[in-house]
Amino acid sequence: MVAIRVPRSQRAKRELLKHAPKLVETGKKTLILHGTKTSAVLNSVLADLFHLKRDNAVKYSKKNDNIRPFESGGETSLEFFSLKTDCSLIVYGSHSKKRPNNLVLGRTYDHHIYDLVEVGVENYKSIESYVYDKKLAPKLGSKPFFAFIGEHFESVEELKHLKEVLLDLFRGEVVDNLNLAGVDRVFVCTAISPTTVYMMHCALRLKRSGTSIPRMELVEVGPSMDLVVRRHRYPVESLKKEAMKTADHAKKMKNVTKDPVHGKLGKVYIPDQQIAKMSLSNDVKGLKRERREAKKNKDHSKKQKINPE
């Protein structure tokens, strides 16, 4: 069990709040782990994945014996490492006779396992096996394009799930605006069958096309591999509902504007006042004054009649 950390100072409290789940998430970090036994192919796969995400990833090379993601209680070590490194994406590699070259891709929420996808790696080609102009190599931290080819990504639930995890794994930080000149890579995923996906990593070469939109050419730079879907673990409904919360956008108020100098300004519309049709009550102060003056004049005229000169 992971011990619950209770902050004893304001500084510690602020530090824990940085690791807490947020409505608007920043870039996600990836944790790369080795199992009890790994093959040479799997070591190369994990090394290439770390190379692609080295600006936002943590890699442990030590073997881990107690990690069994799909067994009850076997995910405790994964949750501990996720909490220790503040990583919400997990890549775990293991090799056995029953499941050779096994790769587990997982996501966490609040440092608890959210979902898992297990795939087998086949027909792997590393980055070092490709020969190309090194000037075309994608830059560190650049945003990638994604191309998912095949109807199985829309009809097969397992491939839908795999698509979501791959997008989360490689897309990086979510941004509002994107400069086309800064996009220099693309991940192409082709659904060969309902259980197999061919994935390759390509660099983008922009060439003149005679129009404002450049012509694009793909240069394969690696790695490339076949991902054979094996086991899945879908998120629990209660955890999924909690993780899918979004920030409430403030409703736009009518006739209200903000000015940098005057601050918040508002317009108030008043209907036309029909003064001629307004009914005046007898308790109006102005009428009381007129009555007093009329009574005073009446009393004065009576005195004049009683005391004639």
Side-chain angles (χ1 to χ4, degrees), residues 257-265:
T257 57
K258 289 186 178 181
D259 187 84
V261 178
H262 301 287
K264 197 173 184 180
L265 302 175

Side-chain angles (χ1 to χ4, degrees), residues 26 31 49 88 117 137 165 171 177-178 215 235 250 266-267 280 300:
T26 54
L31 175 63
L49 290 178
S88 55
V117 180
V165 176
R171 70 177 177 179
N177 299 317
L178 192 63
R215 182 169 60 88
K267 294 181 180 179
L280 300 176
H300 182 68

Side-chain angles (χ1 to χ4, degrees), residues 3-213:
I4 299 174
R5 297 183 294 179
V6 180
R8 298 183 179 179
S9 63
Q10 289 297 326
R11 181 179 179 182
K13 186 177 181 180
R14 289 193 298 269
E15 193 65 27
L16 285 179
L17 287 175
K18 292 180 183 179
H19 301 287
K22 305 175 183 62
L23 288 176
V24 180
E25 290 284 358
T26 54
K28 298 180 179 180
K29 293 172 62 178
T30 304
L31 175 63
I32 300 175
L33 295 168
H34 291 254
T36 306
K37 184 180 178 182
T38 55
S39 62
V41 172
L42 207 56
N43 289 335
S44 181
V45 171
L46 296 177
D48 284 351
L49 290 178
F50 178 70
H51 177 76
L52 294 177
K53 295 180 62 65
R54 62 189 182 277
D55 61 328
N56 212 6
V58 177
K59 184 175 182 291
Y60 286 168
S61 57
K62 186 178 178 180
K63 295 181 180 181
N64 298 276
D65 300 332
N66 299 324
I67 298 179
R68 296 176 180 84
F70 289 91
E71 296 181 11
S72 179
E75 72 276 3
T76 306
S77 296
L78 282 179
E79 294 177 352
F80 168 76
F81 286 126
S82 172
L83 180 63
K84 182 180 178 180
T85 58
D86 190 27
C87 292
S88 55
L89 297 170
I90 296 173
V91 178
Y92 173 74
S94 62
H95 178 75
S96 63
K97 185 177 181 180
K98 185 177 181 181
R99 295 184 180 90
N101 299 327
N102 199 51
L103 201 64
V104 178
L105 310 176
R107 297 182 288 181
T108 65
Y109 175 75
D110 197 13
H111 305 297
H112 295 287
I113 296 298
Y114 179 74
D115 60 353
L116 296 169
V117 180
E118 185 182 65
V119 294
V121 178
E122 297 179 358
N123 303 323
Y124 175 72
K125 287 186 177 181
S126 65
I127 296 176
E128 297 177 354
S129 63
Y130 287 89
V131 179
Y132 59 93
D133 186 1
K134 298 303 178 182
K135 294 180 180 179
L136 298 175
K139 297 179 181 178
L140 183 65
S142 61
K143 297 288 288 184
F145 278 136
F146 286 90
F148 291 93
I149 304 171
E151 60 181 9
H152 297 301
F153 283 113
E154 302 298 329
S155 58
V156 181
E157 291 296 326
E158 288 78 6
L159 294 192
K160 281 184 181 180
H161 191 197
L162 179 62
K163 176 182 175 181
E164 291 179 5
V165 176
L166 290 176
L167 283 173
D168 249 3
L169 183 63
F170 291 108
R171 70 177 177 179
E173 189 173 352
V174 180
V175 295
D176 296 328
N177 299 317
L178 192 63
N179 186 2
L180 184 61
V183 181
D184 57 0
R185 68 174 74 193
V186 58
F187 288 96
V188 182
C189 301
T190 306
I192 302 174
S193 69
T195 58
T196 306
V197 174
Y198 173 65
M199 177 181 173
M200 65 178 179
H201 179 221
C202 300
L204 280 177
R205 177 187 291 176
L206 302 180
K207 290 194 172 184
R208 294 180 180 178
S209 61
T211 62
S212 59
I213 301 175

Side-chain angles (χ1 to χ4, degrees), residues 251-257 264-269:
K251 293 182 179 179
K252 188 176 180 181
M253 299 178 67
K254 293 179 65 176
N255 305 322
V256 176
T257 57
K264 197 173 184 180
L265 302 175
K267 294 181 180 179
V268 179
Y269 293 91

